[in-house]
Amino acid sequence: MGTVAIAVAITAGLAAVAGAFGVAIVVRSTLQGITRQPEIRGPLQTVMFIGIPLVEALPIFAIVIAFLLLP
């Protein structure tokens, strides 16, 4: 039980960090696009608001699967 719990904790932590990096990349790219072409701010924000949940979905699945592996 001890090693499985440690593996689950590591997996959950890495998934959270990966999700944070993914969201940061999406936001950074959106801000760069708005800086270059301010007139397309609205469409870029729409794509960003759709993209962020898609990026966050994978770490959530990883955390759920990790917790399902606990006996």
Side-chain angles (χ1 to χ4, degrees):
M1 167 95 179
T3 56
V4 174
I6 292 172
V8 167
I10 291 172
T11 302
L14 289 176
V17 170
F21 278 122
V23 170
I25 291 170
V26 170
V27 172
R28 181 192 64 190
S29 299
T30 302
L31 289 176
Q32 285 178 349
I34 291 171
T35 302
R36 290 181 184 164
Q37 294 181 340
E39 64 273 4
I40 61 169
R41 178 179 178 227
L44 281 178
Q45 281 185 336
T46 302
V47 171
M48 180 185 73
F49 290 141
I50 293 171
I52 287 175
L54 293 175
V55 170
E56 280 291 328
L58 189 59
I60 291 170
F61 289 143
I63 291 171
V64 168
I65 291 171
F67 283 123
L68 287 175
L69 291 176
L70 281 175

